[in-house]
Amino acid sequence: RENQIEVTDIEGALRIVLPDESLRYKVRTAPRSSFLGRTDFEVDVLAGDQRIHSLRVTAHLAIWVDVLLASHPIKSGEVIHKEDVYVGKRNLVDLASAYLVNPEEVIGMRAKYYVGANAPLFEDNVKEIPVFQKGERVYILAESESIKITVLGEAKEEGYRGKTARVM
């Protein structure tokens, strides 16, 4: 799905006398204008290559983007499954920068905080599930080309798949 841009609540000096010929227009953002929410634009009305009128317009700009949403309330500590999330549209102005889009990024992870139904999921809303907990007994394996040593140890911190953890 593509992003969608929506322009609404257009205001400006729109009373102009236009000639009876084919017209074009050129729109550009005004200096120091934002691209979200209430925004200023400059519009040049062109007849052929000649500018016949220039006006400043203010409008509300919304950019709709795909975002990962909760299908139903997800409690803190709950493991996230495929049916718990879906991809929907939200206005970019309403989102924090670390919003998630891909369901595969969160399936099998745990919710750090409560997430309401139809609310967006952010990177700081989820955390990996540890493979082992601090204090658990773990096997420690050290090997080279000629020797392999296995010993029972104790985890000094939580361990996550593909990451190192302190053990004793």
Side-chain angles (χ1 to χ4, degrees):
R1 296 190 264 188
E2 295 181 11
N3 295 341
Q4 296 175 354
I5 298 174
E6 182 178 83
V7 180
T8 57
D9 302 325
I10 301 170
E11 297 174 2
L14 300 177
R15 291 185 183 181
I16 58 174
V17 178
L18 299 174
D20 290 336
E21 56 187 285
S22 180
L23 300 174
R24 296 181 306 123
Y25 62 91
K26 184 177 181 181
V27 179
R28 61 185 182 282
T29 56
R32 293 185 296 277
S33 63
S34 120
F35 289 100
L36 295 174
R38 211 70 193 139
T39 303
D40 292 325
F41 298 93
E42 292 178 357
V43 180
D44 291 334
V45 179
L46 308 166
D49 291 333
Q50 184 176 0
R51 184 174 69 188
I52 60 169
H53 195 74
S54 196
L55 59 130
R56 183 167 240 171
V57 174
T58 300
H60 185 268
L61 184 64
I63 300 176
W64 296 94
V65 295
D66 286 342
V67 63
L68 194 59
L69 304 167
S71 304
H72 55 84
I74 301 172
K75 296 176 185 171
S76 175
E78 195 173 304
V79 176
I80 300 170
H81 300 93
K82 184 178 182 177
E83 61 274 6
D84 298 329
V85 294
Y86 69 99
V87 176
K89 296 274 188 197
R90 287 293 184 271
N91 188 348
L92 189 59
V93 77
D94 299 327
L95 297 173
S97 61
Y99 66 91
L100 297 169
V101 178
N102 185 353
E104 300 304 317
E105 293 178 273
V106 299
I107 293 171
M109 295 184 89
R110 194 176 299 278
K112 278 174 136 175
Y113 312 105
Y114 172 84
V115 180
N118 302 309
L121 278 90
F122 300 97
E123 289 176 3
D124 66 346
N125 283 108
V126 295
K127 65 179 179 178
E128 289 183 65
I129 298 174
V131 177
F132 56 84
Q133 300 290 329
K134 178 181 178 179
E136 284 186 13
R137 294 218 174 261
V138 294
Y139 284 100
I140 301 168
L141 172 67
E143 64 182 329
S144 69
E145 290 180 20
S146 58
I147 191 167
K148 179 178 181 178
I149 300 171
T150 305
V151 64
L152 195 57
E154 181 181 329
K156 293 298 178 186
E157 61 188 8
E158 291 180 337
Y160 297 91
R161 187 171 310 282
K163 297 182 180 161
T164 59
R166 291 183 311 118
V167 294
M168 180 187 272

